Amino acid sequence: LFRSVGIVEEWNAVNGDSNYSSVSLLCHFDGPNNSTTFTDNSSSPKTLTANGNIKISTAQSKFGGSSLYNDGTTGYITISSAQFSSFNFGTADFTIECWLYQISFSGDRVITASFTTWASSVNFYFATRAGTPNVLLFRAGDGLPISLVGNTAISANTWTHVAVSRVSGVTRMFVDGVMQSATHTGSVNIGNSTQAVGITAANNGTEGMTCYLDDLRFTKGVGRYTRSEEHTSELQSPCN
């Protein structure tokens, strides 16, 4: 199986990702239709818990024939606070990325988030915002010292690669490999509060997104992207 992922490097140790040991979460969302079993293919697998109407779907996929589906009502995945150390980025480099197929846009909708009290106690908040155009958001740190709003349009019912990456204190967002205009420079501590992590909704179940999601990856200690690049490479990436 070959995956056309461009700036996204090879996804696992088998295919030679030199940063695989730093990958703290790797979800291909492969499996039979309607399954609620979600597997973390990182080197230190986490337990992913299904909440509400969240499931594997074969109706859409970027790779592998299936993806995660959320109908945007009650569904989301949580990773417990007991496993939060893998998502405590501190002031170091990091990358969060995935392939997103958002079905509808309304307000702010979460890709992945971890916070206690908005906005005074926030680890990270990666989301989209409805508008003209629909754009990517990233907010992080207590009091939201990092608050980035994208400028590249995200279309409904289209697979789009989205990423946020911090390298040497500079946090940047990318949409289909295009670096967004807004950046942040500074060593903000991301992870002051030990909290659960939510996927396709916040960790408290709010702001659920109606979407399909594929190949979600967190990399702790490594910022993978620093500039706009095109999605042209064909990289071998077997589903695990």
Side-chain angles (χ1 to χ4, degrees), residues 18-45:
S18 60
N19 296 308
Y20 179 72
S21 62
S22 298
V23 172
S24 54
L25 185 72
L26 177 60
C27 298
H28 297 310
F29 298 119
D30 294 334
N33 198 44
N34 295 322
S35 172
T36 56
T37 299
F38 311 115
T39 302
D40 173 16
N41 293 109
S42 73
S43 59
S44 56

Side-chain angles (χ1 to χ4, degrees), residues 1 3 28-31 61-66 214 239:
L1 171 65
R3 299 183 173 184
H28 297 310
F29 298 119
D30 294 334
S61 68
K62 181 64 182 178
F63 313 116
S66 64
D214 214 346
C239 299

Side-chain angles (χ1 to χ4, degrees), residues 100 102 105 127-137 148-156 158-163 173-182 228-229 231:
L100 174 67
Q102 191 162 349
F105 290 82
T128 62
R129 172 170 290 172
T132 308
N134 306 311
V135 294
L136 192 63
L137 301 177
L148 303 179
V149 180
N151 54 280
T152 298
I154 300 175
S155 299
T158 303
W159 283 108
T160 304
H161 181 261
V162 294
M173 297 192 304
F174 298 84
V175 176
D176 277 342
V178 177
M179 189 174 77
Q180 304 300 279
S181 299
S228 294
E229 298 177 50
H231 288 60

